[in-house]
Amino acid sequence: MKFFITDIHGEYNGLEILLKHAEIDFTKDQLVFGGDYINRGKDSGKVIRRIKELTEAYPNNVIALIGNHEEMMRDYYRSGDKLWLSHGGRDTIRELEKTFPNEKERNEHIEWACNLPLVYDEDDFVYTHAGLNPFEPLEKQSREILWMSESDFYSISKESLMNLTHDKPVVHGHTPVERIYFDGVRLNCDLGCNTYFIEEERGLALVELSRMIYYVYKQNSGKIEKREIARF
């Protein structure tokens, strides 16, 4: 089975509930994390710690990618860019200090999150946080793809993307949506956890790509919904 989850934004409880609900067998199943683990939610440190633990315990089956929020954190610690501070960074710094009172351990988790790959390419799908540049090889994508808007990504022709990925669909997040749709090439799995402007619609999705279904943790109610991925 192949699973994908993205844009967790500090929602540790929802993450744990979804992983338990899906009964993922980490010794056999594949799970890809699509970035944006931090900011806006209250448990960024716990989310990073959990994902790091899983990638280290099951390196062949659990893969984590970087998102633009980790990229902002990276720029803050490496060059002093303060953009991150206006996008939840101040709260995240305090939460990281609380979760990791040991400075060495805290820095290890920050460095880990800041050095994750941009793209993961496997037999059936290509995974990225926001989008892909069809004019750059998959292994040489620029860091600008972390910020690609949905309108820009979906304006790229299906033929161009399929040529880039060798006919594999692209699984991604970054732009919050209320439902997950598949246009035959792109699959946006960000349900606006701690970000969507309609709070009642905010959710965290664990997508089961093998059956094209997904489980949604509804933040407003704390309940799980099972949905099918729509196609158009």
Side-chain angles (χ1 to χ4, degrees):
M1 307 287 271
K2 295 185 177 181
F3 296 89
F4 180 75
I5 188 168
T6 189
D7 293 84
I8 299 167
H9 285 296
E11 180 53 65
Y12 176 75
N13 289 337
L15 171 63
E16 286 298 306
I17 289 170
L18 283 170
L19 294 180
K20 182 177 180 181
H21 182 84
E23 298 181 334
I24 298 175
D25 182 349
F26 293 107
T27 66
K28 298 178 181 178
D29 299 327
Q30 174 185 283
L31 173 61
V32 179
F33 290 94
D36 278 9
Y37 314 118
I38 62 172
N39 298 346
R40 299 184 176 149
K42 63 183 179 68
D43 290 318
S44 295
K46 290 182 180 179
V47 170
I48 288 177
R49 181 171 60 193
R50 177 64 165 143
I51 297 173
K52 184 174 182 288
E53 287 174 350
L54 287 172
T55 59
E56 291 174 348
Y58 308 99
N60 295 323
N61 295 335
V62 180
I63 298 92
L65 303 178
I66 194 170
N68 65 295
H69 280 258
E70 288 79 42
E71 181 79 346
M72 285 189 284
M73 180 170 68
R74 183 177 188 262
D75 292 340
Y76 173 77
Y77 283 111
R78 294 192 177 184
S79 63
D81 190 327
K82 296 183 178 180
L83 177 65
W84 183 48
L85 299 181
S86 60
H87 289 271
R90 287 186 176 87
D91 290 336
T92 298
I93 289 172
R94 287 191 289 269
E95 205 278 314
L96 288 171
E97 290 174 348
K98 179 181 176 181
T99 303
F100 307 107
N102 180 284
E103 184 179 3
K104 182 176 183 293
E105 183 184 15
R106 181 167 67 250
N107 289 338
E108 286 174 352
H109 283 78
I110 291 171
E111 278 297 305
W112 173 83
C114 290
N115 285 286
L116 294 170
L118 294 169
V119 178
Y120 178 59
D121 181 11
E122 47 103 324
D123 292 341
D124 300 310
F125 300 95
V126 174
Y127 306 83
T128 186
H129 176 65
L132 294 171
N133 184 339
F135 303 107
E136 297 175 339
L138 282 179
E139 68 277 8
K140 295 183 179 180
Q141 291 281 307
S142 65
R143 305 196 75 83
E144 281 72 24
I145 63 170
L146 291 170
W147 302 89
M148 185 175 285
S149 69
E150 186 178 53
S151 59
D152 286 343
F153 188 39
Y154 280 68
S155 69
I156 299 170
S157 71
K158 294 181 178 180
E159 292 75 17
S160 294
L161 281 176
M162 283 302 205
N163 285 335
L164 174 68
T165 65
H166 302 289
D167 296 324
K168 289 178 280 191
V170 181
V171 185
H172 70 99
H174 184 59
T175 303
V177 293
E178 291 185 13
R179 295 290 187 276
I180 297 178
Y181 299 90
F182 181 46
D183 71 350
V185 179
R186 289 153 289 216
L187 192 68
N188 181 0
C189 304
D190 177 6
L191 291 190
C193 183
N194 287 319
T195 63
Y196 196 56
F197 67 96
I198 303 175
E199 291 190 16
E200 292 77 12
E201 292 297 328
R202 290 178 177 177
L204 181 62
L206 177 62
V207 182
E208 187 180 322
L209 294 163
S210 307
R211 294 192 292 163
M212 281 296 180
I213 62 172
Y214 59 107
Y215 303 102
V216 183
Y217 171 77
K218 299 293 291 185
Q219 290 186 280
N220 194 45
S221 65
K223 295 181 179 179
I224 297 284
E225 296 179 6
K226 179 182 176 181
R227 300 175 183 171
E228 291 187 7
I229 294 174
R231 300 171 182 262
F232 65 91

